[in-house]
Amino acid sequence: MGIWSNLLVLLVIFPFCTPDPNDEMCLTHLSQSLQDPLKNLQNWTKTSFAKPCDGFTSYLQGATCNNGRIYKLSLSNLSLKGTISPYLSNCTNLQALDLSSNAISGPIPLELQFLVNLAVLNLSANQLSGPIPEQLAICAYLNVIDLHDNQLNGLIPQQLGLLVRLSVFDVSNNRLSGPIPASLGNRSGNFPRFNASSFDGNKDLYGYPLPPKKSNGLSVLAIVGIGLGSGFLSLVISFTAVCIWLRVTEQKLDAEEGKISHLMPDY
């Protein structure tokens, strides 16, 4: 009985790690949606997807395992193309996703909202387009949202300001527009929650902490002032020219009258 009791304790403390079908589906669809022109992910095969982890050991490049589940994917700077599969949400134990510095295009999937354990999301330096999903605010553990250097457009979702753990937020160099949500640029003492570098490079984005936009032309008052000034100057020039002409004409008439009176005989 002692041996069986000890074995039971070991099984409770160190349970057998069986492959997770959700992780398999997640990795299979992600591999299908991405293109790997430089063959950096040669060990991403169907066989590996069936059992990507053995405890804390990973059989996939860029994947880190925790107790038999994928908990981190780091596939940065691998010249990957294609899109982000919505089935990525099946990696429900995922805590960090880094696909930065590739050439991935398309939208950010709304399904990322189901990665409720996600703490780090880095999709920067790609070619992603479309809006930033407001559903990301459901991922309450997010500490990092880095989306800089993409082609994202639309408004910055107000809901992202509700992420109380958020310590890094960068959407610079996109095509975002509209006001910066006060909850992301609000003041804390003399410092903003996120400074201007988090928002720079978006032509139509405005609001604190970005500096006020400079005027791209003359104001209406300036234009009116210039118009009135030009009109007044033209009037002065015209009036002066008329006065000079009248004066010259008067002098000529006086001279002619002098000549006539000199030629007239005296009676």
Side-chain angles (χ1 to χ4, degrees):
M1 290 296 292
I3 295 175
W4 290 109
S5 298
N6 291 335
L7 181 59
L8 182 61
V9 170
L10 289 174
L11 288 175
V12 171
I13 298 175
F14 302 106
F16 288 114
C17 298
T18 58
D20 190 282
N22 286 324
D23 282 359
E24 181 179 1
M25 182 179 293
C26 162
L27 296 168
T28 299
H29 284 276
L30 181 61
S31 176
Q32 292 172 352
S33 69
L34 293 176
Q35 300 169 21
D36 180 22
L38 300 184
K39 306 299 180 185
N40 288 310
L41 303 178
Q42 292 187 9
N43 63 347
W44 279 54
T45 63
K46 186 176 180 180
T47 303
S48 298
F49 299 153
K51 189 179 180 182
C53 299
D54 184 7
F56 293 91
T57 302
S58 169
Y59 298 119
L60 293 177
Q61 179 180 343
T64 305
C65 297
N66 182 8
N67 199 25
R69 295 292 309 277
I70 298 288
Y71 94 101
K72 181 179 180 180
L73 281 175
S74 182
L75 303 176
S76 63
N77 200 25
L78 296 177
S79 299
L80 300 176
K81 298 181 180 181
T83 60
I84 302 174
S85 170
Y87 286 91
L88 189 60
S89 61
N90 283 74
C91 285
T92 54
N93 205 47
L94 197 64
Q95 296 180 28
L97 175 62
D98 185 355
L99 300 176
S100 62
S101 300
N102 286 294
I104 301 172
S105 57
I108 300 174
L110 301 179
E111 289 79 4
L112 294 188
Q113 65 182 296
F114 300 116
L115 297 175
V116 294
N117 296 307
L118 196 64
V120 175
L121 177 63
N122 188 351
L123 305 178
S124 62
N126 277 288
Q127 299 171 14
L128 298 172
S129 57
I132 300 173
E134 62 183 39
Q135 290 85 351
L136 289 179
I138 297 174
C139 303
Y141 293 106
L142 274 172
N143 292 309
V144 175
I145 297 179
D146 192 349
L147 305 174
H148 76 265
D149 285 287
N150 277 288
Q151 300 170 20
L152 299 170
N153 55 38
L155 303 174
I156 299 175
Q158 298 269 357
Q159 293 85 343
L160 298 184
L162 301 176
L163 293 168
V164 295
R165 296 171 180 256
L166 197 61
S167 58
V168 174
F169 182 74
D170 192 347
V171 293
S172 59
N173 299 316
N174 277 283
R175 299 175 181 176
L176 299 170
S177 59
I180 295 172
S183 54
L184 291 171
N186 65 342
R187 296 175 184 269
S188 177
N190 294 324
F191 301 96
R193 183 174 178 188
F194 299 108
N195 59 31
S197 64
S198 294
F199 306 100
D200 281 336
N202 290 280
K203 181 181 176 183
D204 297 318
L205 196 64
Y206 61 89
Y208 186 85
L210 289 178
K213 288 185 177 295
K214 295 180 179 179
S215 176
N216 292 325
L218 296 172
S219 66
V220 174
L221 289 177
I223 294 172
V224 171
I226 291 172
L228 291 174
S230 300
F232 180 76
L233 181 61
S234 299
L235 183 61
V236 170
I237 293 173
S238 299
F239 180 77
T240 304
V242 170
C243 290
I244 293 172
W245 179 80
L246 289 173
R247 182 61 180 167
V248 170
T249 303
E250 184 180 0
Q251 289 177 348
K252 287 182 177 181
L253 289 174
D254 289 342
E256 291 295 329
E257 288 178 359
K259 289 180 181 180
I260 294 173
S261 61
H262 179 71
L263 294 175
M264 292 279 294
D266 294 326
Y267 293 99

